[in-house]
Amino acid sequence: MPRKPLTTIVALCLVFLTGWAGLQQYIKTDATGQVLLEEAIDTAGYTLGLMAAEKPELREQVEHYYQEIAQQGLTVVVVNAGLQQLMDQGIAYQVLVYKMVRIVRLAGGQIDPEGNITELGKITTGMLEIGKQGYLTALQNSGAV
């Protein structure tokens, strides 16, 4: 009789471990990583939109960089220039820049020792559009537009 509960516990542990391994494999898949990356970009865009809603001059700068990217394409030069503009705004913006650079790093991008992006990795203009939509949603939700 004591063997049945022990057998059940062992079986449950094996199912749990197998299920956990399956979950870990699922998390590591490219599709899941893509969704998480897009969510991070959307959140960063939304946060930027909330900040820009409070500072009209920042809003002008952000929208200028979105226009430059639309015209020139997504380049490290334009991205680094925009991030530097944010860095100059204060500590809250520096934290947002840190998060944005971290997103690029997680997407396989490269960062030099000075903190400049040298390669964007898997970041695309389509992903930037997701961030832009988050930005515009924040402006709308805050009543800035």
Side-chain angles (χ1 to χ4, degrees):
M1 204 66 152
R3 287 185 158 191
K4 257 189 174 175
L6 182 60
T7 305
T8 303
I9 291 171
V10 169
L12 286 173
C13 288
L14 288 173
V15 168
F16 178 75
L17 290 173
T18 304
W20 182 254
L23 179 62
Q24 285 180 324
Q25 184 61 33
Y26 176 75
I27 289 172
K28 292 179 181 177
T29 64
D30 200 35
T32 303
Q34 183 74 15
V35 169
L36 294 174
L37 183 59
E38 289 175 2
E39 283 301 312
I41 291 170
D42 181 47
T43 300
Y46 193 88
T47 303
L48 182 60
L50 291 175
M51 293 172 149
E54 294 178 2
K55 288 179 90 173
E57 65 277 3
L58 175 64
R59 183 174 169 193
E60 289 176 21
Q61 291 172 349
V62 170
E63 292 174 9
H64 168 77
Y65 282 107
Y66 276 131
Q67 288 175 348
E68 276 194 42
I69 290 170
Q71 292 170 353
Q72 299 177 20
L74 188 60
T75 67
V76 293
V77 172
V78 174
V79 170
N80 283 325
L83 293 178
Q84 186 58 51
Q85 285 284 332
L86 286 176
M87 288 289 288
D88 296 340
Q89 300 293 320
I91 189 71
Y93 299 92
Q94 292 169 6
V95 171
L96 180 59
V97 167
Y98 167 77
K99 297 292 186 181
M100 290 176 171
V101 169
R102 190 166 177 221
I103 290 169
V104 171
R105 184 177 292 126
L106 291 171
Q110 300 295 316
I111 314 301
D112 69 15
E114 290 82 37
N116 296 308
I117 298 169
T118 58
E119 185 182 324
L120 293 169
K122 294 180 182 179
I123 304 292
T124 64
T125 53
M127 288 180 183
L128 186 67
E129 228 10 77
I130 291 169
K132 183 178 178 181
Q133 289 307 311
Y135 168 82
L136 294 172
T137 300
L139 289 176
Q140 185 178 17
N141 290 345
S142 67
V145 290

